[in-house]
Amino acid sequence: QVRLVESGGGLMQPGGSLRLSCAASGFALADYAIGWFRQAPGKEREGVSCIGSSADNTYYADSMKGRFTISRDNAENKVYLQMNSLTPEDTAVYYCTFDPSLYRAYVCPPDIYKYGSWGQGTEVTVSS
């Protein structure tokens, strides 16, 4: 059974850091482009970052550039999202996602409609 499980969320003060993990079961994350999206209360789900299957290609939404870093650990079958300099505007549920059509996709698409399989999300709250 194909499954994605996010973890690592929590409550953090502004300026702090969190590392989110996306663990896969039933398939090898290394073979696919993987995306991270987030959804804040009352807002639409938006793109955060993505990584191509080779890890050479990455994408970051403008507000995450310089603060967030996406990476892979193929041996652990995980993708990570390191988030630094957090602000209250980063408060959201964070989701990792993939799609079978993104097998061996060197360039990861930032568009939400490209992704069809989602984890349950992990909640990040940034507040003092």
Side-chain angles (χ1 to χ4, degrees):
Q1 182 180 1
V2 171
R3 190 178 178 208
L4 292 170
V5 178
E6 302 92 335
S7 62
L11 174 64
M12 180 55 62
Q13 291 187 339
S17 298
L18 282 173
R19 189 178 77 157
L20 305 184
S21 298
C22 173
S25 59
F27 74 103
L29 275 176
D31 290 337
Y32 296 86
I34 303 296
W36 280 98
F37 288 76
R38 70 184 185 184
Q39 188 163 17
K43 295 188 177 181
E44 293 186 353
R45 197 168 295 190
E46 64 174 353
V48 174
S49 180
C50 65
I51 186 167
S53 60
S54 72
D56 291 334
N57 172 257
T58 58
Y59 160 86
Y60 298 93
D62 287 344
S63 62
M64 290 73 170
K65 289 178 181 177
R67 300 191 301 125
F68 291 9
T69 303
I70 192 170
S71 61
R72 291 183 177 275
D73 187 329
N74 293 337
E76 293 195 358
N77 207 24
K78 290 183 177 179
V79 171
Y80 297 102
L81 185 69
Q82 177 68 42
M83 306 189 298
N84 299 328
S85 302
L86 288 164
T87 74
E89 288 68 38
D90 295 316
T91 295
V93 178
Y94 286 71
Y95 301 88
C96 68
T97 179
F98 92 110
D99 192 274
S101 67
L102 299 177
Y103 179 74
R104 300 282 176 94
Y106 178 80
V107 177
C108 65
D111 316 89
I112 193 170
Y113 68 89
K114 293 285 191 179
Y115 297 91
S117 295
W118 297 80
Q120 85 291 345
T122 185
E123 188 168 3
V124 172
T125 302
V126 184
S127 175
S128 55

